[in-house]
Amino acid sequence: MTEGKIVKALSGFYYVLNEAGLVQCRGRGVFRKNKVTPLVGDYVIFQAENDKEGYIMEVKPRKNELIRPPIANTDQAILVFSASEPEFSTMLLDRFLVIVESSGILPLICVTKADLLSSEKRSEINGYLQDYRTIGYEVILLSSKTEEGVDQLRPFLTGKTSVFAGQSGVGKSSLLNALKPELELKTDEISSHLGRGKHTTRHVELIAVGGGLVADTPGFSSLEFTEIEAEDLAEAFPEMSKVSEDCKFRGCLHVNEPKCAVKTAVENGEIPPYRYEHYLQFIQEIKDRKPRY
């Protein structure tokens, strides 16, 4: 039996990369029985019937996993957002950041389509991006069309497994094409009727880019906090987590509690007000979530 890494999952088959090459595998029935679903990024033990086909016998323990997109063992999530078409949304970015932070994955923020910005709009976007840099995030403003900023991203890819994630139509495939033109990934223009991109990526697949492995994932526009509890939400906001130690009450949710250090930091301009507003919306969403049985 041999160890390898799943680099693609499609139509019930798992494509496992090992030193000898790529082997098309099926999962054993025991996985369904035990409710284990192999994911792209999983390290697995497989038994090959020949040099092209085999069966996955065991899924090794994961260091992390995402549900949407379904991928495991990623070193970083490259969150791709457009500066325009569709419009840049701090609300959606914060939603992605919470999911990534709570999964223990390092986020990197890439804002594409810089070529579409007027000088006034660029100044506005740069203001937001500076907020995220101050919090501690790596942020790159770039254009796949003019290749502005693309070279800044390359060093972050080397030797890592990265997941590209973001809303449909923000230019994930275009960015990957800019990083590695021979990929020739299909891209679609924004649908003017819907105001959002058409889905061009149909499955999760790890591809070699920039000295690392990159997952291009299906675009999606909604993320639910199914695995996050209200008392843990502030941990996914680094600037809140940092000051929350000074709250008077242990277990402070930073909503209505007195002598809350987070609310004081917002009032003092140390935390962007829109980040705190998003936090309040997210915590209400978690509280309104139907209980799981």
Side-chain angles (χ1 to χ4, degrees), residues 248-280:
K248 181 177 181 180
F249 296 101
R250 182 175 293 181
C252 180
L253 291 181
H254 323 302
V255 180
N256 298 314
E257 299 88 342
K259 297 187 178 179
C260 169
V262 168
K263 288 191 287 184
T264 300
V266 175
E267 291 164 6
N268 293 340
E270 297 164 22
I271 292 174
Y274 62 87
R275 286 272 290 174
Y276 180 63
E277 288 167 15
H278 297 163
Y279 170 83
L280 293 178

PDB file of all heavy atoms in Angstrom, residues 248-280:
ATOM      1  N   LYS A 248     -14.287  43.310  31.383  1.00  0.00           N
ATOM      2  CA  LYS A 248     -14.498  43.075  32.817  1.00  0.00           C
ATOM      3  C   LYS A 248     -14.975  41.653  33.080  1.00  0.00           C
ATOM      4  O   LYS A 248     -14.552  41.007  34.042  1.00  0.00           O
ATOM      5  CB  LYS A 248     -15.511  44.079  33.380  1.00  0.00           C
ATOM      6  CG  LYS A 248     -15.758  43.892  34.875  1.00  0.00           C
ATOM      7  CD  LYS A 248     -16.711  44.927  35.443  1.00  0.00           C
ATOM      8  CE  LYS A 248     -16.903  44.702  36.945  1.00  0.00           C
ATOM      9  NZ  LYS A 248     -17.830  45.689  37.538  1.00  0.00           N
ATOM     10  N   PHE A 249     -15.878  41.168  32.201  1.00  0.00           N
ATOM     11  CA  PHE A 249     -16.484  39.858  32.452  1.00  0.00           C
ATOM     12  C   PHE A 249     -15.903  38.785  31.537  1.00  0.00           C
ATOM     13  O   PHE A 249     -15.793  38.982  30.319  1.00  0.00           O
ATOM     14  CB  PHE A 249     -18.007  39.932  32.250  1.00  0.00           C
ATOM     15  CG  PHE A 249     -18.691  40.849  33.222  1.00  0.00           C
ATOM     16  CD1 PHE A 249     -19.082  42.129  32.846  1.00  0.00           C
ATOM     17  CD2 PHE A 249     -18.924  40.437  34.527  1.00  0.00           C
ATOM     18  CE1 PHE A 249     -19.694  42.978  33.737  1.00  0.00           C
ATOM     19  CE2 PHE A 249     -19.547  41.288  35.436  1.00  0.00           C
ATOM     20  CZ  PHE A 249     -19.927  42.559  35.048  1.00  0.00           C
ATOM     21  N   ARG A 250     -15.541  37.683  32.145  1.00  0.00           N
ATOM     22  CA  ARG A 250     -15.082  36.546  31.355  1.00  0.00           C
ATOM     23  C   ARG A 250     -16.277  36.012  30.549  1.00  0.00           C
ATOM     24  O   ARG A 250     -17.376  35.915  31.048  1.00  0.00           O
ATOM     25  CB  ARG A 250     -14.540  35.455  32.282  1.00  0.00           C
ATOM     26  CG  ARG A 250     -13.987  34.245  31.543  1.00  0.00           C
ATOM     27  CD  ARG A 250     -13.354  33.256  32.495  1.00  0.00           C
ATOM     28  NE  ARG A 250     -12.145  33.796  33.115  1.00  0.00           N
ATOM     29  CZ  ARG A 250     -11.386  33.113  33.976  1.00  0.00           C
ATOM     30  NH1 ARG A 250     -11.727  31.891  34.327  1.00  0.00           N
ATOM     31  NH2 ARG A 250     -10.301  33.654  34.495  1.00  0.00           N
ATOM     32  N   GLY A 251     -16.049  35.660  29.297  1.00  0.00           N
ATOM     33  CA  GLY A 251     -17.141  35.201  28.449  1.00  0.00           C
ATOM     34  C   GLY A 251     -17.946  36.343  27.865  1.00  0.00           C
ATOM     35  O   GLY A 251     -19.050  36.142  27.353  1.00  0.00           O
ATOM     36  N   CYS A 252     -17.397  37.576  27.915  1.00  0.00           N
ATOM     37  CA  CYS A 252     -18.073  38.748  27.342  1.00  0.00           C
ATOM     38  C   CYS A 252     -18.284  38.538  25.853  1.00  0.00           C
ATOM     39  O   CYS A 252     -17.359  38.170  25.129  1.00  0.00           O
ATOM     40  CB  CYS A 252     -17.214  39.993  27.580  1.00  0.00           C
ATOM     41  SG  CYS A 252     -17.926  41.520  26.935  1.00  0.00           S
ATOM     42  N   LEU A 253     -19.518  38.762  25.383  1.00  0.00           N
ATOM     43  CA  LEU A 253     -19.826  38.618  23.959  1.00  0.00           C
ATOM     44  C   LEU A 253     -19.708  39.949  23.223  1.00  0.00           C
ATOM     45  O   LEU A 253     -19.951  40.009  22.014  1.00  0.00           O
ATOM     46  CB  LEU A 253     -21.239  38.049  23.782  1.00  0.00           C
ATOM     47  CG  LEU A 253     -21.456  36.597  24.196  1.00  0.00           C
ATOM     48  CD1 LEU A 253     -22.901  36.176  23.946  1.00  0.00           C
ATOM     49  CD2 LEU A 253     -20.497  35.665  23.471  1.00  0.00           C
ATOM     50  N   HIS A 254     -19.367  41.029  23.954  1.00  0.00           N
ATOM     51  CA  HIS A 254     -19.117  42.341  23.352  1.00  0.00           C
ATOM     52  C   HIS A 254     -20.366  42.909  22.675  1.00  0.00           C
ATOM     53  O   HIS A 254     -20.285  43.561  21.629  1.00  0.00           O
ATOM     54  CB  HIS A 254     -17.957  42.267  22.347  1.00  0.00           C
ATOM     55  CG  HIS A 254     -16.859  41.339  22.761  1.00  0.00           C
ATOM     56  ND1 HIS A 254     -16.187  41.492  23.951  1.00  0.00           N
ATOM     57  CD2 HIS A 254     -16.350  40.217  22.166  1.00  0.00           C
ATOM     58  CE1 HIS A 254     -15.277  40.514  24.072  1.00  0.00           C
ATOM     59  NE2 HIS A 254     -15.379  39.733  23.007  1.00  0.00           N
ATOM     60  N   VAL A 255     -21.510  42.644  23.282  1.00  0.00           N
ATOM     61  CA  VAL A 255     -22.772  43.137  22.721  1.00  0.00           C
ATOM     62  C   VAL A 255     -23.397  44.155  23.675  1.00  0.00           C
ATOM     63  O   VAL A 255     -23.403  45.363  23.396  1.00  0.00           O
ATOM     64  CB  VAL A 255     -23.746  41.972  22.434  1.00  0.00           C
ATOM     65  CG1 VAL A 255     -25.052  42.513  21.846  1.00  0.00           C
ATOM     66  CG2 VAL A 255     -23.126  40.961  21.477  1.00  0.00           C
ATOM     67  N   ASN A 256     -23.916  43.659  24.818  1.00  0.00           N
ATOM     68  CA  ASN A 256     -24.578  44.554  25.781  1.00  0.00           C
ATOM     69  C   ASN A 256     -23.864  44.619  27.121  1.00  0.00           C
ATOM     70  O   ASN A 256     -24.299  45.328  28.028  1.00  0.00           O
ATOM     71  CB  ASN A 256     -26.023  44.085  26.017  1.00  0.00           C
ATOM     72  CG  ASN A 256     -26.851  44.148  24.742  1.00  0.00           C
ATOM     73  OD1 ASN A 256     -26.806  45.129  24.022  1.00  0.00           O
ATOM     74  ND2 ASN A 256     -27.597  43.072  24.465  1.00  0.00           N
ATOM     75  N   GLU A 257     -22.762  43.881  27.270  1.00  0.00           N
ATOM     76  CA  GLU A 257     -22.095  43.795  28.569  1.00  0.00           C
ATOM     77  C   GLU A 257     -21.418  45.119  28.939  1.00  0.00           C
ATOM     78  O   GLU A 257     -20.886  45.820  28.077  1.00  0.00           O
ATOM     79  CB  GLU A 257     -21.035  42.677  28.550  1.00  0.00           C
ATOM     80  CG  GLU A 257     -21.605  41.288  28.275  1.00  0.00           C
ATOM     81  CD  GLU A 257     -21.710  40.947  26.802  1.00  0.00           C
ATOM     82  OE1 GLU A 257     -21.667  41.874  25.953  1.00  0.00           O
ATOM     83  OE2 GLU A 257     -21.849  39.749  26.499  1.00  0.00           O
ATOM     84  N   PRO A 258     -21.442  45.479  30.228  1.00  0.00           N
ATOM     85  CA  PRO A 258     -20.765  46.711  30.675  1.00  0.00           C
ATOM     86  C   PRO A 258     -19.245  46.519  30.712  1.00  0.00           C
ATOM     87  O   PRO A 258     -18.746  45.403  30.803  1.00  0.00           O
ATOM     88  CB  PRO A 258     -21.326  46.925  32.089  1.00  0.00           C
ATOM     89  CG  PRO A 258     -21.708  45.556  32.556  1.00  0.00           C
ATOM     90  CD  PRO A 258     -22.163  44.807  31.320  1.00  0.00           C
ATOM     91  N   LYS A 259     -18.538  47.641  30.630  1.00  0.00           N
ATOM     92  CA  LYS A 259     -17.072  47.664  30.710  1.00  0.00           C
ATOM     93  C   LYS A 259     -16.444  46.654  29.747  1.00  0.00           C
ATOM     94  O   LYS A 259     -15.591  45.851  30.113  1.00  0.00           O
ATOM     95  CB  LYS A 259     -16.612  47.420  32.147  1.00  0.00           C
ATOM     96  CG  LYS A 259     -17.077  48.518  33.101  1.00  0.00           C
ATOM     97  CD  LYS A 259     -16.487  48.379  34.477  1.00  0.00           C
ATOM     98  CE  LYS A 259     -16.945  49.530  35.377  1.00  0.00           C
ATOM     99  NZ  LYS A 259     -16.412  49.416  36.752  1.00  0.00           N
ATOM    100  N   CYS A 260     -16.919  46.735  28.501  1.00  0.00           N
ATOM    101  CA  CYS A 260     -16.424  45.854  27.438  1.00  0.00           C
ATOM    102  C   CYS A 260     -15.285  46.558  26.702  1.00  0.00           C
ATOM    103  O   CYS A 260     -15.466  47.635  26.129  1.00  0.00           O
ATOM    104  CB  CYS A 260     -17.557  45.517  26.472  1.00  0.00           C
ATOM    105  SG  CYS A 260     -17.012  44.712  24.949  1.00  0.00           S
ATOM    106  N   ALA A 261     -14.114  45.951  26.706  1.00  0.00           N
ATOM    107  CA  ALA A 261     -12.932  46.553  26.079  1.00  0.00           C
ATOM    108  C   ALA A 261     -13.076  46.645  24.563  1.00  0.00           C
ATOM    109  O   ALA A 261     -12.517  47.553  23.938  1.00  0.00           O
ATOM    110  CB  ALA A 261     -11.693  45.735  26.430  1.00  0.00           C
ATOM    111  N   VAL A 262     -13.821  45.721  23.959  1.00  0.00           N
ATOM    112  CA  VAL A 262     -14.010  45.754  22.509  1.00  0.00           C
ATOM    113  C   VAL A 262     -14.843  46.976  22.126  1.00  0.00           C
ATOM    114  O   VAL A 262     -14.492  47.717  21.197  1.00  0.00           O
ATOM    115  CB  VAL A 262     -14.682  44.450  22.014  1.00  0.00           C
ATOM    116  CG1 VAL A 262     -15.144  44.595  20.563  1.00  0.00           C
ATOM    117  CG2 VAL A 262     -13.717  43.273  22.147  1.00  0.00           C
ATOM    118  N   LYS A 263     -15.944  47.200  22.833  1.00  0.00           N
ATOM    119  CA  LYS A 263     -16.790  48.365  22.518  1.00  0.00           C
ATOM    120  C   LYS A 263     -16.019  49.671  22.749  1.00  0.00           C
ATOM    121  O   LYS A 263     -16.171  50.627  21.982  1.00  0.00           O
ATOM    122  CB  LYS A 263     -18.072  48.326  23.362  1.00  0.00           C
ATOM    123  CG  LYS A 263     -19.052  47.249  22.909  1.00  0.00           C
ATOM    124  CD  LYS A 263     -20.405  47.387  23.555  1.00  0.00           C
ATOM    125  CE  LYS A 263     -20.383  46.982  25.014  1.00  0.00           C
ATOM    126  NZ  LYS A 263     -21.732  47.020  25.631  1.00  0.00           N
ATOM    127  N   THR A 264     -15.187  49.687  23.781  1.00  0.00           N
ATOM    128  CA  THR A 264     -14.358  50.870  24.039  1.00  0.00           C
ATOM    129  C   THR A 264     -13.378  51.105  22.896  1.00  0.00           C
ATOM    130  O   THR A 264     -13.165  52.243  22.462  1.00  0.00           O
ATOM    131  CB  THR A 264     -13.582  50.697  25.360  1.00  0.00           C
ATOM    132  OG1 THR A 264     -14.513  50.537  26.436  1.00  0.00           O
ATOM    133  CG2 THR A 264     -12.696  51.906  25.634  1.00  0.00           C
ATOM    134  N   ALA A 265     -12.785  50.020  22.377  1.00  0.00           N
ATOM    135  CA  ALA A 265     -11.836  50.130  21.264  1.00  0.00           C
ATOM    136  C   ALA A 265     -12.523  50.636  20.003  1.00  0.00           C
ATOM    137  O   ALA A 265     -11.932  51.397  19.226  1.00  0.00           O
ATOM    138  CB  ALA A 265     -11.178  48.776  21.007  1.00  0.00           C
ATOM    139  N   VAL A 266     -13.786  50.241  19.800  1.00  0.00           N
ATOM    140  CA  VAL A 266     -14.551  50.742  18.643  1.00  0.00           C
ATOM    141  C   VAL A 266     -14.790  52.242  18.808  1.00  0.00           C
ATOM    142  O   VAL A 266     -14.583  53.027  17.865  1.00  0.00           O
ATOM    143  CB  VAL A 266     -15.895  49.994  18.501  1.00  0.00           C
ATOM    144  CG1 VAL A 266     -16.724  50.608  17.378  1.00  0.00           C
ATOM    145  CG2 VAL A 266     -15.661  48.506  18.227  1.00  0.00           C
ATOM    146  N   GLU A 267     -15.196  52.651  20.000  1.00  0.00           N
ATOM    147  CA  GLU A 267     -15.467  54.072  20.273  1.00  0.00           C
ATOM    148  C   GLU A 267     -14.210  54.919  20.106  1.00  0.00           C
ATOM    149  O   GLU A 267     -14.275  56.071  19.670  1.00  0.00           O
ATOM    150  CB  GLU A 267     -16.026  54.229  21.689  1.00  0.00           C
ATOM    151  CG  GLU A 267     -17.432  53.660  21.852  1.00  0.00           C
ATOM    152  CD  GLU A 267     -17.826  53.475  23.323  1.00  0.00           C
ATOM    153  OE1 GLU A 267     -17.032  53.916  24.204  1.00  0.00           O
ATOM    154  OE2 GLU A 267     -18.896  52.896  23.587  1.00  0.00           O
ATOM    155  N   ASN A 268     -13.050  54.339  20.423  1.00  0.00           N
ATOM    156  CA  ASN A 268     -11.783  55.066  20.342  1.00  0.00           C
ATOM    157  C   ASN A 268     -11.158  55.022  18.943  1.00  0.00           C
ATOM    158  O   ASN A 268     -10.068  55.559  18.734  1.00  0.00           O
ATOM    159  CB  ASN A 268     -10.776  54.507  21.357  1.00  0.00           C
ATOM    160  CG  ASN A 268     -11.199  54.764  22.795  1.00  0.00           C
ATOM    161  OD1 ASN A 268     -12.021  55.650  23.049  1.00  0.00           O
ATOM    162  ND2 ASN A 268     -10.640  54.012  23.731  1.00  0.00           N
ATOM    163  N   GLY A 269     -11.847  54.353  17.997  1.00  0.00           N
ATOM    164  CA  GLY A 269     -11.333  54.280  16.643  1.00  0.00           C
ATOM    165  C   GLY A 269     -10.244  53.248  16.440  1.00  0.00           C
ATOM    166  O   GLY A 269      -9.580  53.232  15.392  1.00  0.00           O
ATOM    167  N   GLU A 270     -10.035  52.373  17.419  1.00  0.00           N
ATOM    168  CA  GLU A 270      -8.995  51.338  17.305  1.00  0.00           C
ATOM    169  C   GLU A 270      -9.485  50.131  16.513  1.00  0.00           C
ATOM    170  O   GLU A 270      -8.679  49.357  15.990  1.00  0.00           O
ATOM    171  CB  GLU A 270      -8.550  50.888  18.705  1.00  0.00           C
ATOM    172  CG  GLU A 270      -7.907  52.007  19.513  1.00  0.00           C
ATOM    173  CD  GLU A 270      -7.842  51.670  20.994  1.00  0.00           C
ATOM    174  OE1 GLU A 270      -7.893  50.464  21.324  1.00  0.00           O
ATOM    175  OE2 GLU A 270      -7.753  52.601  21.816  1.00  0.00           O
ATOM    176  N   ILE A 271     -10.803  49.972  16.434  1.00  0.00           N
ATOM    177  CA  ILE A 271     -11.420  48.905  15.644  1.00  0.00           C
ATOM    178  C   ILE A 271     -12.375  49.567  14.654  1.00  0.00           C
ATOM    179  O   ILE A 271     -13.214  50.387  15.070  1.00  0.00           O
ATOM    180  CB  ILE A 271     -12.186  47.901  16.541  1.00  0.00           C
ATOM    181  CG1 ILE A 271     -11.214  47.107  17.421  1.00  0.00           C
ATOM    182  CG2 ILE A 271     -13.034  46.945  15.700  1.00  0.00           C
ATOM    183  CD1 ILE A 271     -11.881  46.193  18.427  1.00  0.00           C
ATOM    184  N   PRO A 272     -12.264  49.269  13.354  1.00  0.00           N
ATOM    185  CA  PRO A 272     -13.168  49.888  12.375  1.00  0.00           C
ATOM    186  C   PRO A 272     -14.628  49.604  12.734  1.00  0.00           C
ATOM    187  O   PRO A 272     -14.992  48.443  12.984  1.00  0.00           O
ATOM    188  CB  PRO A 272     -12.785  49.196  11.059  1.00  0.00           C
ATOM    189  CG  PRO A 272     -11.368  48.748  11.254  1.00  0.00           C
ATOM    190  CD  PRO A 272     -11.270  48.376  12.704  1.00  0.00           C
ATOM    191  N   PRO A 273     -15.466  50.633  12.763  1.00  0.00           N
ATOM    192  CA  PRO A 273     -16.874  50.445  13.137  1.00  0.00           C
ATOM    193  C   PRO A 273     -17.592  49.402  12.278  1.00  0.00           C
ATOM    194  O   PRO A 273     -18.423  48.652  12.784  1.00  0.00           O
ATOM    195  CB  PRO A 273     -17.488  51.841  12.947  1.00  0.00           C
ATOM    196  CG  PRO A 273     -16.336  52.771  13.098  1.00  0.00           C
ATOM    197  CD  PRO A 273     -15.145  52.061  12.542  1.00  0.00           C
ATOM    198  N   TYR A 274     -17.268  49.355  10.973  1.00  0.00           N
ATOM    199  CA  TYR A 274     -17.964  48.388  10.115  1.00  0.00           C
ATOM    200  C   TYR A 274     -17.602  46.952  10.475  1.00  0.00           C
ATOM    201  O   TYR A 274     -18.428  46.048  10.343  1.00  0.00           O
ATOM    202  CB  TYR A 274     -17.682  48.657   8.630  1.00  0.00           C
ATOM    203  CG  TYR A 274     -16.239  48.534   8.193  1.00  0.00           C
ATOM    204  CD1 TYR A 274     -15.708  47.309   7.806  1.00  0.00           C
ATOM    205  CD2 TYR A 274     -15.409  49.649   8.153  1.00  0.00           C
ATOM    206  CE1 TYR A 274     -14.385  47.193   7.396  1.00  0.00           C
ATOM    207  CE2 TYR A 274     -14.088  49.544   7.749  1.00  0.00           C
ATOM    208  CZ  TYR A 274     -13.571  48.316   7.371  1.00  0.00           C
ATOM    209  OH  TYR A 274     -12.259  48.210   6.983  1.00  0.00           O
ATOM    210  N   ARG A 275     -16.390  46.737  10.973  1.00  0.00           N
ATOM    211  CA  ARG A 275     -16.013  45.384  11.420  1.00  0.00           C
ATOM    212  C   ARG A 275     -16.853  44.986  12.636  1.00  0.00           C
ATOM    213  O   ARG A 275     -17.342  43.846  12.727  1.00  0.00           O
ATOM    214  CB  ARG A 275     -14.526  45.346  11.783  1.00  0.00           C
ATOM    215  CG  ARG A 275     -13.585  45.377  10.605  1.00  0.00           C
ATOM    216  CD  ARG A 275     -13.290  44.006  10.069  1.00  0.00           C
ATOM    217  NE  ARG A 275     -12.460  43.211  10.964  1.00  0.00           N
ATOM    218  CZ  ARG A 275     -12.167  41.919  10.755  1.00  0.00           C
ATOM    219  NH1 ARG A 275     -12.646  41.284   9.709  1.00  0.00           N
ATOM    220  NH2 ARG A 275     -11.402  41.253  11.606  1.00  0.00           N
ATOM    221  N   TYR A 276     -17.038  45.916  13.553  1.00  0.00           N
ATOM    222  CA  TYR A 276     -17.851  45.618  14.744  1.00  0.00           C
ATOM    223  C   TYR A 276     -19.317  45.412  14.359  1.00  0.00           C
ATOM    224  O   TYR A 276     -19.989  44.514  14.885  1.00  0.00           O
ATOM    225  CB  TYR A 276     -17.726  46.755  15.759  1.00  0.00           C
ATOM    226  CG  TYR A 276     -18.534  46.512  17.020  1.00  0.00           C
ATOM    227  CD1 TYR A 276     -18.249  45.427  17.859  1.00  0.00           C
ATOM    228  CD2 TYR A 276     -19.597  47.346  17.370  1.00  0.00           C
ATOM    229  CE1 TYR A 276     -18.999  45.201  19.012  1.00  0.00           C
ATOM    230  CE2 TYR A 276     -20.340  47.124  18.510  1.00  0.00           C
ATOM    231  CZ  TYR A 276     -20.029  46.044  19.328  1.00  0.00           C
ATOM    232  OH  TYR A 276     -20.783  45.803  20.464  1.00  0.00           O
ATOM    233  N   GLU A 277     -19.822  46.207  13.403  1.00  0.00           N
ATOM    234  CA  GLU A 277     -21.200  46.029  12.944  1.00  0.00           C
ATOM    235  C   GLU A 277     -21.391  44.639  12.325  1.00  0.00           C
ATOM    236  O   GLU A 277     -22.414  43.985  12.544  1.00  0.00           O
ATOM    237  CB  GLU A 277     -21.557  47.111  11.916  1.00  0.00           C
ATOM    238  CG  GLU A 277     -21.724  48.494  12.526  1.00  0.00           C
ATOM    239  CD  GLU A 277     -21.767  49.587  11.476  1.00  0.00           C
ATOM    240  OE1 GLU A 277     -21.950  49.247  10.280  1.00  0.00           O
ATOM    241  OE2 GLU A 277     -21.613  50.772  11.830  1.00  0.00           O
ATOM    242  N   HIS A 278     -20.406  44.202  11.563  1.00  0.00           N
ATOM    243  CA  HIS A 278     -20.479  42.864  10.971  1.00  0.00           C
ATOM    244  C   HIS A 278     -20.449  41.796  12.059  1.00  0.00           C
ATOM    245  O   HIS A 278     -21.183  40.807  11.990  1.00  0.00           O
ATOM    246  CB  HIS A 278     -19.321  42.639   9.992  1.00  0.00           C
ATOM    247  CG  HIS A 278     -19.347  43.579   8.822  1.00  0.00           C
ATOM    248  ND1 HIS A 278     -18.256  43.785   8.014  1.00  0.00           N
ATOM    249  CD2 HIS A 278     -20.340  44.379   8.337  1.00  0.00           C
ATOM    250  CE1 HIS A 278     -18.576  44.663   7.074  1.00  0.00           C
ATOM    251  NE2 HIS A 278     -19.829  45.036   7.258  1.00  0.00           N
ATOM    252  N   TYR A 279     -19.617  42.016  13.065  1.00  0.00           N
ATOM    253  CA  TYR A 279     -19.557  41.082  14.194  1.00  0.00           C
ATOM    254  C   TYR A 279     -20.932  40.941  14.846  1.00  0.00           C
ATOM    255  O   TYR A 279     -21.393  39.821  15.120  1.00  0.00           O
ATOM    256  CB  TYR A 279     -18.529  41.577  15.224  1.00  0.00           C
ATOM    257  CG  TYR A 279     -18.559  40.819  16.531  1.00  0.00           C
ATOM    258  CD1 TYR A 279     -17.888  39.604  16.685  1.00  0.00           C
ATOM    259  CD2 TYR A 279     -19.290  41.302  17.623  1.00  0.00           C
ATOM    260  CE1 TYR A 279     -17.936  38.904  17.882  1.00  0.00           C
ATOM    261  CE2 TYR A 279     -19.342  40.615  18.823  1.00  0.00           C
ATOM    262  CZ  TYR A 279     -18.661  39.410  18.942  1.00  0.00           C
ATOM    263  OH  TYR A 279     -18.716  38.705  20.127  1.00  0.00           O
ATOM    264  N   LEU A 280     -21.601  42.075  15.080  1.00  0.00           N
ATOM    265  CA  LEU A 280     -22.929  42.032  15.711  1.00  0.00           C
ATOM    266  C   LEU A 280     -23.933  41.289  14.825  1.00  0.00           C
ATOM    267  O   LEU A 280     -24.758  40.505  15.326  1.00  0.00           O
ATOM    268  CB  LEU A 280     -23.432  43.450  15.979  1.00  0.00           C
ATOM    269  CG  LEU A 280     -22.675  44.264  17.034  1.00  0.00           C
ATOM    270  CD1 LEU A 280     -23.267  45.660  17.149  1.00  0.00           C
ATOM    271  CD2 LEU A 280     -22.695  43.563  18.393  1.00  0.00           C
TER     272      LEU A 280
END
